[in-house]
Amino acid sequence: MDQNNASSPGEVKSGMFSHVKTDIPAGLVVFLIALPLCLGISLASGAPLFSGIIAGIVGGIVVGLASGSKINVSGPAASVALIVFTAIQSLGSFEIVLSATIIAGIFQIILGYIRAGTIAYFFPSSMIKGILASIGLILIINQIPHAFGYRGEGLFGSMEDGFVNGIFTVINNIVDYISLGPTIITLVSLAIIFIWDQPALKRHAFFKFVPSALVAVLVSIGLYLLFNSYFPGLALAENHLVQLPVADGIVDFFSFFTFPDFSQIANVELYTVALSIAFIASLESLLSTEAGDKLDPYKRKTSTNRELKAQGIGNIVSGFIGGLPVTAVIVRTSANVTSGGRTPLSTITHGTIMLICVMAIPRILNMIPLASLSAVLFVVGYRLTSVTLYRNMYRLGKRQFVPFFVTVLAVMFTDLITGILIGGAVSVFVILRDNYKTPFFVDKESHHEGEKVELVLAQDVTFLNKASMMLTLDHVARNSEVVIDATRSVNIDDDVLEIIEEFKNTAAYRNIRLTLIGMDKFGVTA
């Protein structure tokens, strides 16, 4: 099927300015979603709040220009907040963490050049979900002090006596030093987000266009002004608010940028932090890219190797000017697509608006209560570690639930890298126990247009076969016939089933005739 044919479903104009009418409004929507998240993730990271804004600007403009993706949106992510928070404490300063961010960017560029873009496919989804769920839990717990207006040490600063003792220490301190004003703002913000995101309201264009997090932040500003003007008992102190530097001019604005400290360049721990950032940022970027390609109405494929290079460039630039690490983020990417974003112009627009905003209205941003940002982060954290997630993983059986839950516990009670190693080891053990036969047999070594390709699946097909299955299906020529025979299969991993389902959905765009045999018992029908 010729993509240049006007009747082709895969036809799309991909030039930077080919969809200006939809890209500019989409960029505005993404900006409205990204602004409170950038500030909130800075808060969760223990870094200057300005660093999250810088990362959002870099993710929008720099990564938007360098990436081959048409719809990806990049910026600071909750998944990296934990690494930055602990790294600031272990390395001694945020400036040293900036140098680790730069090194992480270099690692990502190297990964791109050695064509490691498929690395995410070698990690089982159960372990990845476990990593994100544990980060969500820690994100929620660490925001409790800000939500209640307690300005003592956060959770991670109270863990010298162990994780559980640290939690009880913080809870006791919150009870002793709770502030009623921030607590009310937190509860009101959570209520707004919950009500605003109800499916019944989302059917209306206004509620779909205006993000709930922005509404919560705007209402919290109104409550702050009301409390401080008429209710002294509920008044918020200055340290309960966002504190961005206010510039007198453009020259003064650029003086606010923080620069990296390379004094620890010989410290092995610096490279451990850099590897942690590179690993999590690359993993999330690749997973977001894969999910974004599925959302793309034109079914365009992004070069994962180029995406790694683009993210690496973004982290180098962000690290040099005082920004948090950047990754591709699926929440902002999905908002971009649903709002009409079709080319990189939308993500570049969102970064440009953020730059103009922080230069023009910093005093308004400084009226945002930290409690409202904590409420936003509560919701972000819960989406990573929801009750539904645990229920669904349990229903998938021990092969999925055990690695998932072990990874959650390991990250919570040790650290991110140790948790990943433990979770990965358990995943490999569980899978290798079942993976002792050839995953599938292909009757063609090389595929030519118009030929028939038959894949006969083995008794057990696991996540270890995900990459080879994806590459095999991606290399099937246009106008071919593909037969996937699962009559011998007893178990097919959910990751592989997802690849087959995606191939089934996109086969028509390549004029491929697909026949499925025995796949109905795994929930995949022709």
Side-chain angles (χ1 to χ4, degrees), residues 188-202 207 212:
V188 170
S189 298
L190 286 172
I192 290 172
I193 295 172
F194 176 76
I195 295 171
W196 203 270
D197 288 340
Q198 291 299 304
L201 293 179
K202 284 298 182 182
F207 290 94
S212 58

Side-chain angles (χ1 to χ4, degrees), residues 317-459:
V317 174
S318 187
F320 267 117
I321 61 176
L324 291 173
V326 298
T327 77
V329 190
I330 188 56
V331 173
R332 277 159 264 185
T333 298
S334 61
N336 182 35
V337 175
T338 55
S339 302
R342 297 295 179 265
T343 78
L345 180 62
S346 58
T347 186
I348 294 170
T349 298
H350 117 269
T352 303
I353 295 175
M354 189 171 295
L355 174 61
I356 295 171
C357 180
V358 75
M359 293 177 66
I361 56 170
R363 287 182 175 84
I364 295 178
L365 298 180
N366 284 344
M367 290 191 290
I368 299 175
L370 296 180
S372 66
L373 298 182
S374 293
V376 172
L377 288 170
F378 281 151
V379 176
V380 172
Y382 181 75
R383 287 171 180 166
L384 291 174
T385 188
S386 66
V387 174
T388 303
L389 171 65
Y390 288 85
R391 185 185 299 121
N392 291 340
M393 293 302 296
Y394 183 78
R395 287 174 178 172
L396 290 173
K398 294 180 180 179
R399 295 178 68 254
Q400 293 288 327
F401 184 74
V402 171
F404 163 78
F405 197 64
V406 168
T407 302
V408 172
L409 293 178
V411 174
M412 291 286 289
F413 285 92
T414 57
D415 56 72
L416 190 62
I417 293 299
T418 304
I420 290 171
L421 292 175
I422 294 173
V426 172
S427 299
V428 171
F429 172 79
V430 171
I431 296 302
L432 289 182
R433 187 182 60 180
D434 302 322
N435 191 44
Y436 54 87
K437 289 190 176 181
T438 305
F440 59 86
F441 170 76
V442 187
D443 68 346
K444 290 283 185 181
E445 289 298 325
S446 59
H447 308 313
H448 303 284
E449 188 169 341
E451 291 188 343
K452 180 178 180 180
V453 180
E454 185 175 7
L455 279 72
V456 181
L457 304 185
Q459 180 175 329

